[in-house]
Amino acid sequence: QKEVEQDPGPLSVPEGAIVSLNCTYSNSAFQYFMWYRQYSRKGPELLMYTYSSGNKEDGRFTAQVDKSSKYISLFIRDSQPSDSATYLCAMKGNDMRFGAGTRLTVKP
Amino acid sequence: GAGVSQSPSNKVTEKGKDVELRCDPISGHTALYWYRQSLGQGLEFLIYFQGNSAPDKSGLPSDRFSAERTGGSVSTLTIQRTQQEDSAVYLCASSLVVFRDIKYFGPGTRLTVL
């Protein structure tokens, strides 16, 4: 079993939809949780960074962490075609681990 | 401002050849990382440089892989006797030591071994 599991998708939604992206993990040592966005042929860029359980909101993006369930989510409200990218979760304890990424397409 | 740059952007080589991949980190970032990204896989950590400290090589998959960082800035990842399974995107990232979780990635080098 991988330390971090992420459904690779692909996920296709219409413009304006609410998108939910998720990762599960098995290592209780993970304390810091991140979401990166990666456009095609580009490197990942940090989108959200959270530490504790609960929600963190930034514009149309909300990151949610449930440490008791070892489950993290990224919600995108009012999705736009420009949100089309691969989204990678990442988490850090003693080491940092990345999910495989979920490819999202938002159709106009 | 300038971000992390990598060269070449694409590299096609024949099995058994050696390749060198270059990374220019953001000026002032003392931490530098190399990752490998294969289709359907998460980012695989390869090596980490921090200042003048000995690098953390724990992620290098075999002794065919090596990396160096000259003058605390530019880094080169070398793969000797390339194999087809080495085909992947090689990503470099840099960060400030106090914010190591905040990594800035370059665009990557797409390596194809025929």
Side-chain angles (χ1 to χ4, degrees):
Chain A
Q1 182 189 6
K2 293 180 182 178
E3 281 188 285
V4 180
E5 297 278 359
Q6 182 175 13
D7 186 339
L11 182 61
S12 181
V13 301
E15 183 175 356
I18 295 175
V19 176
S20 172
L21 304 167
N22 313 293
C23 288
T24 59
Y25 62 95
S26 57
N27 189 341
S28 299
F30 291 141
Q31 297 294 323
Y32 301 91
F33 304 90
M34 289 144 273
W35 285 94
Y36 281 82
R37 178 175 60 195
Q38 186 176 21
Y39 290 114
S40 181
R41 302 284 175 163
K42 302 288 187 183
E45 57 177 335
L46 184 66
L47 198 58
M48 298 284 281
Y49 179 90
T50 58
Y51 169 66
S52 57
S53 284
N55 294 351
K56 180 178 181 179
E57 189 174 320
D58 184 0
R60 296 185 294 110
F61 298 88
T62 299
Q64 189 174 79
V65 175
D66 182 348
K67 288 185 179 179
S68 63
S69 301
K70 297 188 177 65
Y71 187 89
I72 69 170
S73 300
L74 178 69
F75 298 97
I76 308 174
R77 292 186 300 280
D78 187 25
S79 56
Q80 303 295 309
S82 58
D83 295 329
S84 298
T86 295
Y87 290 81
L88 299 96
C89 62
M91 39 202 82
K92 185 174 180 292
N94 297 320
D95 298 306
M96 190 163 180
R97 294 286 182 267
F98 286 82
T102 300
R103 181 182 290 183
L104 171 68
T105 301
V106 181
K107 296 184 175 180
Chain B
V4 177
S5 61
Q6 292 186 245
S7 60
S9 55
N10 283 283
K11 177 70 177 179
V12 180
T13 191
E14 293 179 347
K15 178 182 172 181
K17 301 280 190 181
D18 298 351
V19 295
E20 282 190 355
L21 313 179
R22 177 187 166 105
C23 172
D24 278 279
I26 293 173
S27 177
H29 282 192
T30 56
L32 186 147
Y33 312 78
W34 283 98
Y35 288 87
R36 180 167 67 177
Q37 187 175 33
S38 303
L39 193 63
Q41 305 293 319
L43 270 65
E44 177 188 4
F45 167 74
L46 298 177
I47 189 168
Y48 162 57
F49 294 91
Q50 172 48 50
N52 295 322
S53 303
D56 175 358
K57 304 180 181 180
S58 60
L60 294 178
S62 77
D63 59 8
R64 295 187 296 104
F65 289 72
S66 64
E68 63 178 21
R69 189 178 185 189
T70 54
S73 182
V74 171
S75 177
T76 302
L77 177 70
T78 300
I79 309 173
Q80 295 179 308
R81 305 181 302 282
T82 52
Q83 304 295 311
Q84 288 184 331
E85 60 263 27
D86 299 334
S87 297
V89 176
Y90 289 82
L91 291 162
C92 174
S94 70
S95 71
L96 292 169
V97 65
V98 292
F99 296 113
R100 275 181 292 180
D101 297 342
I102 314 299
K103 294 178 173 58
Y104 295 84
F105 283 86
T109 293
R110 185 173 298 271
L111 175 65
T112 303
V113 182
L114 302 176

